[in-house]
Structures are given as C-alpha cells and as structure tokens.
C-alpha cells in the first residue's frame, strides 16, 4: 500500500498598511514625548548653570567690595585701551574696562586679567560669562579704534546702571544718566559703597542677562554684542531700566528673544518666561517678563526710596 504525505498549506500573515501606519504613529508620539522630556531636562540644567554664573559674579563683586570698599566701576568709553599701572591692570579708580574685567581676580582668572596684551585679554572666552541656553563661547572681530579686526569675546550678562544712562553717546559724563545703579561710570568718580544702596541690597538688581537676538548671536555681532565682556560703560556690559528710552522712560522690562531691535540697551533672556539675575545681596532671582514696570524700575534704582514688595518679582 502506497502512502502519500499530504501537503499542508500555510498562510504567511504580515502587517497591513494600516497597522504599519499605526506603529509609526505610536513611535513618533513616543519620540516626541522623549524629545520634550530631554529638552526640559536640558533647559533645567542650563537654567541652573546660568543662575550659578550670576551667583559667582555676585560673590566676586562682594569680594571686591570687601577688599577695596566699593563696587567695581562701570568703566569708561568703549573705545579705550585697558589701563595699566607698572605693568599691572589699574583698579576701579582709573580702569576704563568694565566691571566684568575688574572682578576677574576674584574669579581666579588672574591670568586673563593680567594678560600681556589687550587683544589676548579681551579675546579670551570665559564660560562663566556665557548663558548656556543661548550659545557657547564666541569671539567676533572688532574694527573700531586700535582693534583693527582683532577678536573680542562676547558676554551674555550685564550690570545694572540704574534707571537710564545710554543717550546720545555721552553716557559716561555727568548729565548723561541717572547713575543710580550699583555700577557708575568711571568719569563720574563716584564709586558706589554698600551704604549708598539705601533701598537695601536685597531690593536692588546687581546684574542680569542681556537682551541678545538669538537668530544672529552665533554668527555675527550686533549693536549690544560687539565689544564683549571687557567693555566699559556701554550696552555690551551695562544696561538700564529704561533701556533705549533714556531719560524720558518708560521702563523697558526684561524682554524675550526677538522682541526688540539689537540696540535696546535692555535686559532679556532666551529662558522661557524669565531672566536670571543676581541682586546686590548676592541672592539669585528669576524675574518674569511680565514684571510690573514700576517694580522693575524700583529694582534698578539703589536710592529712589520706593519700597519693593518681593511678591511682585
């Protein structure tokens, strides 16, 4: 008897087009959720680093006050060379370069502070002066005065010059500003002492983030981003409550990226909804873009006598 083995037909079953589309959609959703979580974590880390940068600058300013009795000056005209005395950088009494240059020894950056040439000094990028949410260390060539295209390293933080002080290019002379911030221009010859901050050090802004246009800040310089962190009394390193509005006001509250032109003389940030700042007592605060304009102007004056409610910032 001959037996034959029967053939059993097997049906191969694959995914249908609809099933594939559903799988792809689920993967896309999961990737979106993961990317969002990664971005939030990165911003949280950047925010912490930015706050720490300002904290360290606040500590350095306090050490300057402890050693020399006054706050650093805001420096002089942006075109001037660094002032040296017997081969060592001059202090706040005659130094034309700004407050961020003057605190370098208190940040353990003596080698930058005492660099052999102005080009080497001002062309050195300093991580602490850069907000990681905005960009990394960058230099831009600068052509004015004796620089002739030599690089200057940018900075993302500015000192508080008071209510106003950027008008008609004469900001460092008497009559060119309110000069009621913790930093005053060199030519005024009136360095600020702690006793001069009659509004209270816990109620007065020392420094904060600078308004910079994120769309161009990694590729080219602009009006408030060309002389860099070493700049004197100029909107690269000093800003004011009234910003570009000058003596007539009104206040220019901290601005989000893209809200102003590039010459605003204003505080601002790319952090979502706020700028990071440090006050004259060394405390760090996140200040909302929605801060009340009157509260903002009061925070920027060291001696206007107006009370500041911490709940308003």
């Amino acid at each position: 008897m001959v037996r034959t083995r029967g053939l059993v037909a097997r049906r191969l079953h694959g995914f249908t087009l609809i099933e594939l589309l559903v799988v792809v959609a689920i993967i896309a959703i999961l990737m979106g959720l993961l990317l969002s979580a990664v971005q939030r974590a990165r911003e949280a880390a950047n925010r912490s680093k930015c706050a720490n940068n300002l904290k360290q600058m606040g500590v350095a300013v306090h050490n300057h006050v402890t050693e020399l009795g006054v706050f650093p000056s805001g420096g002089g005209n942006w075109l001037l060379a660094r002032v040296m005395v017997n081969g060592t950088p001059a202090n706040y009494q005659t130094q034309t370069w700004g407050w961020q240059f003057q605190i370098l020894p208190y940040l353990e950056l003596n080698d930058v502070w005492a660099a052999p040439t102005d080009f080497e000094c001002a062309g050195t990028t300093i991580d602490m002066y850069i907000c990681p949410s905005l960009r990394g260390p960058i230099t831009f060539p600068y052509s004015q005065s004796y620089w002739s295209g030599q690089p200057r390293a940018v900075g993302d933080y500015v000192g508080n010059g008071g209510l106003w002080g950027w008008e008609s290019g004469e900001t460092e002379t008497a009559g060119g500003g309110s000069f009621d911030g913790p930093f005053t221009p060199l030519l005024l010859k009136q360095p600020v002492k702690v006793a001069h901050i009659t509004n209270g050090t816990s109620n007065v802004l020392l420094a904060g983030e600078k308004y910079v246009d994120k769309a161009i800040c990694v590729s080219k310089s602009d009006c408030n981003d060309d002389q860099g962190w070493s700049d004197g009394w100029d909107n690269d390193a000093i800003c004011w409550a009234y910003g570009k509005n000058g003596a007539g006001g009104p206040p220019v509250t901290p601005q989000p990226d893209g809200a102003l032109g590039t010459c605003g003389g204003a505080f601002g940030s790319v952090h979502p909804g706020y700028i990071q700042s440090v006050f004259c007592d060394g405390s760090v605060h996140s200040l909302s873009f929605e801060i009340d304009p009157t509260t903002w102007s009061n925070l920027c004056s060291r001696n206007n006598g107006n009370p500041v409610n911490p709940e308003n910032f």
Side-chain angles (χ1 to χ4, degrees):
M1 180 177 180
V2 178
R3 296 183 178 181
T4 61
R5 179 175 297 178
L7 297 177
V8 179
R10 291 186 299 172
R11 182 182 177 186
L12 297 178
H13 184 74
F15 290 108
T16 66
L17 178 59
I18 294 177
E19 289 172 332
L20 288 173
L21 291 175
V22 169
V23 170
V24 170
I26 292 173
I27 293 174
I29 292 172
L30 293 175
M31 290 182 64
L33 293 173
L34 178 61
L35 179 60
S36 178
V38 169
Q39 289 174 334
R40 288 195 300 270
R42 182 181 293 117
E43 170 56 22
N46 288 343
R47 173 179 174 174
S48 178
K49 178 65 164 59
C50 183
N52 186 63
N53 289 345
L54 285 158
K55 180 67 175 180
Q56 294 306 310
M57 283 183 264
V59 170
V61 169
H62 273 235
N63 288 337
H64 184 285
V65 173
T66 298
E67 181 174 335
L68 300 176
V70 297
F71 284 76
S73 83
N77 186 288
W78 62 92
L79 295 175
L80 299 175
R82 178 180 51 162
V83 174
M84 306 291 285
V85 178
N86 298 323
T88 300
N91 66 15
Y92 71 94
Q93 294 174 312
T94 58
Q95 184 56 252
T96 56
W97 283 17
W99 68 277
Q100 290 177 89
F101 170 75
Q102 293 172 43
I103 66 172
L104 289 178
Y106 306 99
L107 295 173
E108 299 182 352
L109 291 170
N110 294 69
D111 55 335
V112 179
W113 176 72
T117 69
D118 287 1
F119 303 143
E120 183 179 344
C121 178
T124 300
T125 58
I126 298 177
D127 287 345
M128 191 180 297
Y129 290 167
I130 293 293
C131 172
S133 288
L134 179 64
R135 56 187 171 181
I138 292 174
T139 62
F140 290 125
Y142 187 62
S143 60
Q144 293 190 53
S145 186
Y146 66 100
W147 285 86
S148 302
Q150 294 290 329
R152 293 183 80 157
V154 301
D156 296 336
Y157 304 102
V158 284
N160 171 25
L163 295 180
W164 61 280
W166 184 55
E167 195 172 64
S168 303
E170 301 298 329
T171 58
E172 72 273 24
T173 60
S178 59
F179 307 132
D180 56 346
F183 299 109
T184 54
L186 173 65
L187 294 185
L188 196 65
K189 298 299 182 183
Q190 294 179 358
V192 174
K193 298 180 180 180
V194 172
H196 296 153
I197 306 179
T198 55
N199 282 4
T201 57
S202 62
N203 295 323
V204 178
L205 179 73
L206 177 67
E209 294 180 86
K210 176 177 65 178
Y211 172 83
V212 176
D213 188 345
K214 189 174 183 178
I216 64 174
C217 70
V218 297
S219 58
K220 64 179 181 179
S221 62
D222 63 36
C223 179
N224 66 350
D225 196 35
D226 52 358
Q227 286 94 8
W229 60 260
S230 60
D231 199 8
W233 193 259
D234 183 46
N235 57 320
D236 266 44
I238 295 287
C239 284
W240 303 268
Y242 294 174
K244 63 180 179 180
N245 293 333
V252 179
T253 53
Q255 297 292 311
D257 174 67
L260 291 177
T262 59
C263 235
F267 293 84
S269 176
V270 295
H271 295 301
Y274 60 89
I275 72 165
Q276 298 278 37
S277 67
V278 61
F279 284 17
C280 289
D281 66 346
S283 60
V284 175
H285 300 269
S286 296
L287 301 178
S288 171
F289 295 144
E290 305 300 323
I291 189 172
D292 173 72
T294 300
T295 298
W296 170 245
S297 61
N298 289 338
L299 285 175
C300 290
S301 176
R302 70 174 189 270
N303 58 6
N304 66 1
N306 295 332
V308 174
N309 185 350
E311 293 182 358
N312 292 336
F313 63 84

